[in-house]
Amino acid sequence: MIKAIIFIIIILNCQYPLISQNLKSPAELMQMLNQSTMVYKLISFSKESDIENHRNLLSSRISLFPSDNNLYIALDFIDVLKDDSLAYYYYKKAQENFQHKLYRNSIEYYKKVLKIYPTISQIMAYIGHCYLYLNQQDSAIYWVSRSIQINYYDYFSHWLLSDLLYKVGNIKEAINEGLIAHILNRNDIEIIKSLNKYFNSFNYAFSSDIFRKPLRIEKNSYDNTILCFFDFSEHPSWMSYLLYKALWRYEPGYREKMIAHSKLPDFLLEERECVFQMISAYYNIKNNEHDKNVDIKENELVEQLIDASKNGYLNEMLLYELVLPEHPDFVYYINHDFMKGIIRYIWNYRVTRQLTALY
């Protein structure tokens, strides 16, 4: 099966000059594939008919709890409460009162939970939610902001705070908090709807479409066969991306070797190598004399990758466009400064000014 794709890969042999990365040659790639104990099988499929494009959502129940040595551990707060009969009783009573619109009673029960577990950010956000329904916006903002101070990665709190800020007319900060919520839970449609509302009121348009890769990788459960699905109607440079993804995911020892001397998180290093190999392939195909008269679909991602790299947003783009849609839980690796970088990337590449028609 590997020999059947040599004619496509063999022309991908020149490094793109802007890439500061040690790219492997096609010969090295072929050697790794042929010497592998795994069998890499290339299979044609259609991206448009792919039913595997479901998108994962980040759990809204992860909170921080004190651990040893002044550290915190991330746990499902519902699971923690279920192991404490009294705290769980207070929580259920708070929920029941909220459902019956008894918001003050609900607040009192939530506060009882916080006396036992003072770091559950979601409980603070729920208190803020109650104050919102009581039309006490200052109290609502206070409790939601306190939740974010406890747990910056609580996307629901950022989302709720964005809605509160929007209601009091602070659209700029509402957009900022909404973008944080969006990044923290990249695939949540309801957050995206809120963001669109904020941007539209500010006369901006926001595009949140997820880039659909023309590939999929699976491993047979009964042998060492790696199934590499590829949409051959797309640009062939994507095949380079696909095969390196397969190596990172399934080739014994490959990931360990690649990350041994890197300071980057392994998932980011993986994405960088795969896209760099794809870019190299793209420009070699584009500049190859034999292909000038061949009608090949453009790889729109490449030009955006190059532009983002020139403007200092390469890692931000990789996380937002390629990593988080598939692995939203990797957002826990993002610190505040990098979050700001992703927000700047979105403003530069995903937001456009709308022109108001004059009549």
Side-chain angles (χ1 to χ4, degrees), residues 2-17:
I2 290 299
K3 291 181 179 178
I5 59 175
I6 289 180
F7 77 97
I8 295 179
I9 299 177
I10 202 68
I11 64 175
L12 316 183
N13 57 5
C14 178
Q15 296 184 13
Y16 187 66

Side-chain angles (χ1 to χ4, degrees), residues 259-270:
I259 68 176
H261 303 292
S262 175
K263 296 181 180 180
L264 290 174
D266 59 347
F267 64 87
L268 185 55
L269 185 65
E270 170 188 346

